[in-house]
Amino acid sequence: MIPISIKVSLDLVKSLYAKFIDWDAEMIDYETGIPSHATNTAISEDLGQVEYIMTDKTGTLTENRMIFRRCCISGVFYGNESGDALKDMKLLNAVAGGSPDVVQFLTVMAICNTVVPIKSKTGAISYKAQSQDEDALVNAAAQLHMVYANKNANILEIRFNGSVIKYEVLEILEFTSDRKRMSVVVKDCQTGKIVLLSKGADEAILPYAFVGQQTRTFIEAVEQYAQLGLRTLCLACRELREDEYQEWSLMFKEASSTLVDREWRIAEACQRLEHDFEVLGVTAIEDRLQDGVPETIETLRKAGINFWMLTGDKQNTAIQIALSCNFISPEPKGQLLLIDGKTEDEVCRSLERVLLTMRITSSEPKDVAFVVDGWALEIALKHYRKAFTELAILSRTAICCRVTPSQKAQLVELLKSCDYRTLAIGDGGNDVRMIQQADIGVGISGREGLQAARAADYSIGKFRFLKRLILVHGRYSYNRTAFLSQYSFYKSLVICFIQIFFSFISGVSGTSLFNSVSLMAYNVFYTSVPVLVSVLDKDLSEGTIMQHPQILFYCQAGRLLNPSTFAGWFGRSLFHAIVVFVISIHAYAYEKSEMEELSMVALSGCIWLQAFVVALETNSFTILQHLAIWGNLVAFYVINWIFSAIPASGMYTIMFRLCRQPSYWITMSLIVAAGMGPVLALKYFRYTYRPSKINTLQQAERMGGPILTLGNIEPHPRPMEKEVVSPLQISQPKNRNPVYEPLLSDSPNSSRRSLGSGAPFDFFQSQSRLSSSYSRNCKDN
């Protein structure tokens, strides 16, 4: 019943799917020459069923090409008027005049990093940096005459306004996602002073300023730059006493050499030193969006895919980027809900408010998204996981700010636990855990190296190629795999049913109607080639799919591969087995001398039927497909003529005798007519009177006319495996609107009920509403 050949066939076609991605010329980033690449060949069809995309921001949605734009030094703003601090005359004059605050600020920009300067033969200096932020800061400092000129072992050489300053690097406190800052301890070779230089996120620097320093101006600067969508870093320093450094250095070296709780002990040692900062200022760096990001997100949204942005940036910066790339909609079309708080009670109240709002607006055509920071997310996942899971199901969009790599992986795991198909995309090493946790991992070969690309199932050059990867390659792979797997069962069931029917008239003696050679060749040669060529089949053109991405709902809902479609193929195999057996028996009366002829007639009938079945299920014919289908039929007779010419084959002269008999060809015609007639009639009825949206688009392609709207696509609801029960007791007003009664019910299942309905909430219901709204908009236009 279950053919071994299905495993081989699926492995072969999935390898071809992966090669199609590798060979796709439209997914080559011609700017860098990076092609797309499929590392995992086993999950191509899963691309067509993606429901949630978890994306990083920097380097994924943006170019990761950092440009220093503005700064605030000791309360003075530079670059606000011109938009470029490097051309601000106030800053240039301060640099030329040797302002101590500016010089100290530029010193931290130049040497608080792990950058390596490289001097060419012409004397030009270039920099090799681990991150684009450090590269932008060092280059900006160089343009302001604070040039990081050379590094020899631990000695750094800085050139400023014609003078040379040397520093000895004593320790480097590397950046971690928990501390959110990095520091270096340096010693001025001229004065002998030991100084701690730090840079990091505002919440990792400003709260640790020395007592008495006013940080209000710096907080305002951070907020102002974040509103503009700029990446901010705070710079600070602290002078260390010799004995203080020596005592700390012993502790740090001991922590670095320990084998037990090494990371925790290093973080504790760093915390001992990183305090009482003198905050010097704030830098603002611009990171532009990649080309095609807004269009890609908009198209994939129409396909029913939800987006979550998981970033380590500030909340305002992430929101501005989300607005600019169509991630969220501005008011009044969109609504942004904030989950914040530093304690359990604050997070609980915030989560209650957002959850109640999300339930009420779940039936409205409004784009509602929620924003949560890393601290609140940590509390929500630890203490209110079920409530947060319900919120994740209700929301189509989420922005998670200041999250760590482990939190990114936890969010992916959360959505996977709800039985959603997730895709994670990122470009850096901090995205690897998220990529590996998701059902499908996509890495961008960007400026942060190839860690993400190598850890992912698929690698692409730019975010915009994700649209083609999912809609074209993912959808085609799903459709082809659905047909191949079900057809493989069908062709095996046909031959098995015929054997079962034969056993009744043979007295259940165990005698096989077909000889061993025929049974072996049936799956290996006679029926495998046509179905393997189905990898070239396209039900719709690529342009039509891009124009109507909502047809991806059919793949997400499993419309082409589910128990009902399998039952259809099962019924077809049973019907075709009856047709072949009955007609063959009546055409060739069962006698012992004609046993071999009856076997060959039944086998021929199966081959003829399956040739027409493959032809009927093929949507787009190419020369290769015609050769595979009809050439395979011709090859069947050639192979059997060869065996019929061999006396020892057990089939001697059988095919020669059959082909000379008109009754044989009449029997084949009757088998094809009786077997394919009802199938054709049913297909014609469904195509004419109950066409699917795909049939409508196919007809439009043949007629050459445009399709303005597809109407409402209603995917089959998919029940959740795990019941989501909110532990939060949301208080309701006494005078409830009866319309909202089912929605606001305190019953455990109320958190998953749709407005005015007793049915469980399902992801696809929200997608059908989106499709309906999209159709109405098209109709109005």
Side-chain angles (χ1 to χ4, degrees):
M1 286 287 195
I2 301 176
I4 298 175
S5 61
I6 189 175
K7 170 64 175 171
V8 180
S9 301
L10 284 173
D11 286 345
L12 284 174
V13 297
K14 287 184 177 183
S15 298
L16 286 174
Y17 298 157
K19 286 301 178 183
F20 290 158
I21 295 173
D22 295 347
W23 296 335
D24 193 341
E26 295 187 34
M27 291 179 63
I28 297 176
D29 182 13
Y30 290 101
E31 182 181 345
T32 59
I34 297 175
S36 57
H37 178 63
T39 305
N40 191 337
T41 62
I43 59 172
S44 296
E45 67 277 7
D46 290 350
L47 285 168
Q49 296 184 289
V50 171
E51 296 164 303
Y52 275 85
I53 292 180
M54 323 291 281
T55 176
D56 179 39
K57 182 184 77 67
T58 305
T60 304
L61 301 177
T62 62
E63 293 182 347
N64 203 13
R65 189 174 293 170
M66 308 299 182
I67 303 173
F68 184 84
R69 288 300 186 192
R70 306 186 186 198
C71 63
C72 174
I73 305 174
S74 298
V76 181
F77 289 82
Y78 299 102
N80 280 7
E81 297 178 0
S82 62
D84 188 354
L86 300 178
K87 298 179 181 179
D88 193 319
M89 292 306 301
K90 288 192 302 181
L91 180 58
L92 294 176
N93 292 334
V95 172
S99 170
D101 293 338
V102 174
V103 171
Q104 202 169 13
F105 182 84
L106 294 178
T107 301
V108 178
M109 284 178 58
I111 65 176
C112 183
N113 49 59
T114 56
V115 175
V116 178
I118 299 175
K119 185 178 292 186
S120 65
K121 294 180 180 179
T122 60
I125 299 175
S126 60
Y127 300 103
K128 293 292 184 182
Q130 289 183 349
S131 72
Q132 297 300 312
D133 293 277
E134 290 186 344
D135 185 69
L137 291 177
V138 173
N139 278 289
Q143 293 184 52
L144 294 172
H145 308 293
M146 183 69 71
V147 182
Y148 181 14
N150 188 28
K151 181 177 183 179
N152 185 9
N154 290 332
I155 304 300
L156 310 181
E157 184 179 305
I158 306 296
R159 296 176 186 173
F160 178 69
N161 287 343
S163 60
V164 178
I165 308 171
K166 292 186 177 182
Y167 293 93
E168 180 184 358
V169 178
L170 301 179
E171 299 290 351
I172 297 178
L173 284 62
E174 295 183 353
F175 174 87
T176 64
S177 57
D178 295 325
R179 288 170 44 244
K180 296 181 181 178
R181 60 178 174 262
M182 74 90 60
S183 304
V184 293
V185 181
V186 296
K187 181 177 182 180
D188 191 326
C189 295
Q190 296 177 348
T191 62
K193 291 182 178 180
I194 299 176
V195 185
L196 171 71
L197 307 178
S198 296
K199 72 172 188 293
D202 55 297
E203 69 264 28
I205 298 292
L206 299 181
Y208 299 95
F210 68 86
V211 178
Q213 183 176 16
Q214 296 296 324
T215 60
R216 183 182 183 87
T217 306
F218 300 122
I219 295 174
E220 292 176 354
V222 169
E223 294 298 325
Q224 176 184 330
Y225 295 150
Q227 290 289 344
L228 298 173
L230 301 176
R231 295 166 57 86
T232 58
L233 283 174
C234 294
L235 308 186
C237 68
R238 181 165 82 92
E239 187 174 341
L240 305 177
R241 301 188 310 274
E242 180 71 29
D243 59 339
E244 179 185 9
Y245 166 71
Q246 294 297 338
E247 180 183 353
W248 175 85
S249 180
L250 292 175
M251 180 192 304
F252 183 74
K253 289 177 181 177
E254 182 182 352
S256 301
S257 60
T258 187
L259 299 178
V260 180
D261 296 330
R262 182 173 177 270
E263 293 182 1
W264 180 82
R265 294 188 63 180
I266 289 177
E268 184 184 23
C270 293
Q271 194 71 27
R272 292 283 185 94
L273 196 67
E274 294 173 325
H275 60 84
D276 293 335
F277 287 129
E278 178 188 354
V279 181
L280 303 175
V282 181
T283 64
I285 299 174
E286 180 186 41
D287 188 11
R288 295 179 179 176
L289 278 180
Q290 295 181 16
D291 293 336
V293 168
E295 295 80 4
T296 299
I297 292 177
E298 183 179 3
T299 301
L300 293 178
R301 278 196 180 285
K302 291 178 182 178
I305 297 176
N306 299 335
F307 277 87
W308 282 34
M309 180 193 292
L310 313 181
T311 177
D313 281 351
K314 277 186 65 62
Q315 177 180 302
N316 288 336
T317 303
I319 291 174
Q320 291 302 316
I321 294 296
L323 285 169
S324 63
C325 68
N326 290 338
F327 205 87
I328 55 177
S329 303
E331 292 285 354
K333 184 181 178 181
Q335 184 178 0
L336 206 58
L337 307 175
L338 179 62
I339 301 174
D340 56 2
K342 299 296 183 182
T343 65
E344 290 184 28
D345 291 337
E346 292 176 352
V347 174
C348 179
R349 288 194 298 269
S350 180
L351 194 56
E352 284 181 355
R353 184 186 68 253
V354 172
L355 203 51
L356 179 60
T357 306
M358 195 72 74
R359 288 172 179 171
I360 295 174
T361 58
S362 62
S363 63
E364 299 178 7
K366 198 170 187 179
D367 187 8
V368 183
F370 72 87
V371 183
V372 61
D373 62 11
W375 189 271
L377 179 64
E378 186 73 23
I379 296 174
L381 291 176
K382 185 176 181 180
H383 300 285
Y384 308 107
R385 187 178 182 88
K386 292 182 179 179
F388 189 80
T389 302
E390 179 189 354
L391 179 63
I393 295 172
L394 291 173
S395 176
R396 299 190 63 242
T397 306
I399 301 174
C400 304
C401 313
R402 296 301 195 194
V403 292
T404 63
S406 61
Q407 288 177 324
K408 291 182 179 182
Q410 288 177 39
L411 288 171
V412 174
E413 183 183 6
L414 179 76
L415 289 172
K416 285 178 64 178
S417 68
C418 298
D419 200 27
Y420 287 122
R421 191 65 53 87
T422 58
L423 181 148
I425 179 170
D427 73 311
N430 59 338
D431 301 318
V432 169
R433 292 182 65 178
M434 171 182 71
I435 288 172
Q436 292 180 335
Q437 183 66 42
D439 294 307
I440 304 166
V442 179
I444 292 182
S445 304
R447 297 174 177 272
E448 289 196 15
L450 298 175
Q451 282 181 293
R454 288 171 177 167
D457 301 306
Y458 301 93
S459 63
I460 55 179
K462 289 288 187 293
F463 182 84
R464 66 177 183 271
F465 298 139
L466 187 64
K467 175 172 63 175
R468 184 171 176 83
L469 182 67
I470 292 175
L471 295 181
V472 176
H473 292 285
R475 186 178 175 278
Y476 282 158
S477 298
Y478 173 79
N479 289 355
R480 293 160 178 169
T481 302
F483 169 71
L484 172 63
S485 56
Q486 293 177 118
Y487 175 80
S488 296
F489 278 103
Y490 155 79
K491 64 186 180 71
S492 294
L493 288 171
V494 169
I495 210 77
C496 289
F497 281 135
I498 293 175
Q499 291 272 57
I500 293 171
F501 297 152
F502 178 74
S503 68
F504 290 118
I505 66 172
S506 65
V508 198
S509 62
T511 304
S512 174
L513 176 62
F514 306 104
N515 59 53
S516 58
V517 176
S518 298
L519 287 175
M520 179 194 68
Y522 178 77
N523 270 325
V524 177
F525 299 109
Y526 300 153
T527 58
S528 60
V529 175
V531 74
L532 288 178
V533 185
S534 66
V535 296
L536 304 175
D537 187 37
K538 297 181 180 180
D539 60 338
L540 294 170
S541 65
E542 296 174 4
T544 302
I545 295 171
M546 292 294 191
Q547 187 180 357
H548 302 281
Q550 61 268 39
I551 60 173
L552 191 70
F553 291 156
Y554 286 97
C555 300
Q556 292 170 336
R559 289 280 186 91
L560 302 180
L561 182 58
N562 54 57
S564 61
T565 59
F566 187 82
W569 282 95
F570 183 89
R572 185 186 297 190
S573 65
L574 179 60
F575 171 67
H576 283 174
I578 293 173
V579 168
V580 171
F581 186 73
V582 171
I583 294 179
S584 299
I585 287 293
H586 280 79
Y588 289 81
Y590 175 69
E591 296 179 9
K592 187 173 181 180
S593 59
E594 297 176 349
M595 175 73 174
E596 293 82 3
E597 291 186 2
L598 177 61
S599 170
M600 186 55 64
V601 169
L603 183 63
S604 302
C606 293
I607 302 302
W608 275 87
L609 272 180
Q610 285 165 41
F612 279 92
V613 167
V614 174
L616 184 65
E617 298 296 331
T618 300
N619 296 285
S620 60
F621 282 98
T622 62
I623 295 177
L624 191 59
Q625 285 167 303
H626 278 296
L627 287 174
I629 295 171
W630 310 118
N632 186 75
L633 190 60
V634 174
F636 166 73
Y637 285 98
V638 172
I639 292 173
N640 281 280
W641 284 336
I642 293 173
F643 276 100
S644 296
I646 302 174
S649 65
M651 299 170 56
Y652 188 57
T653 71
I654 291 178
M655 187 55 74
F656 295 128
R657 297 200 308 268
L658 286 176
C659 290
R660 288 196 296 265
Q661 299 173 8
S663 59
Y664 171 78
W665 300 107
I666 294 173
T667 302
M668 294 301 106
S669 302
L670 288 174
I671 288 174
V672 172
M676 298 305 299
V679 176
L680 280 169
L682 181 61
K683 197 175 186 69
Y684 174 80
F685 173 80
R686 293 183 59 184
Y687 188 85
T688 306
Y689 300 104
R690 297 186 60 187
S692 66
K693 308 307 178 184
I694 295 177
N695 298 147
T696 304
L697 291 174
Q698 289 172 335
Q699 186 175 5
E701 284 188 347
R702 295 189 182 99
M703 301 293 291
I707 294 292
L708 298 180
T709 177
L710 282 179
N712 189 16
I713 300 179
E714 294 283 355
H716 292 302
R718 181 163 53 87
M720 301 287 294
E721 287 186 358
K722 298 184 179 180
E723 193 73 21
V724 178
V725 181
S726 175
L728 300 177
Q729 298 297 325
I730 300 179
S731 58
Q732 304 298 340
K734 293 182 179 180
N735 298 324
R736 295 182 180 175
N737 188 330
V739 175
Y740 292 90
E741 196 70 25
L743 174 70
L744 302 179
S745 170
D746 291 330
S747 64
N749 291 332
S750 65
S751 62
R752 297 179 60 239
R753 294 183 182 270
S754 58
L755 186 59
S757 165
F761 175 85
D762 189 79
F763 166 75
F764 294 108
Q765 294 177 3
S766 63
Q767 305 312 312
S768 63
R769 287 194 292 271
L770 173 68
S771 176
S772 178
S773 174
Y774 171 75
S775 304
R776 287 195 298 271
N777 292 338
C778 292
K779 195 173 297 181
D780 293 341
N781 292 336

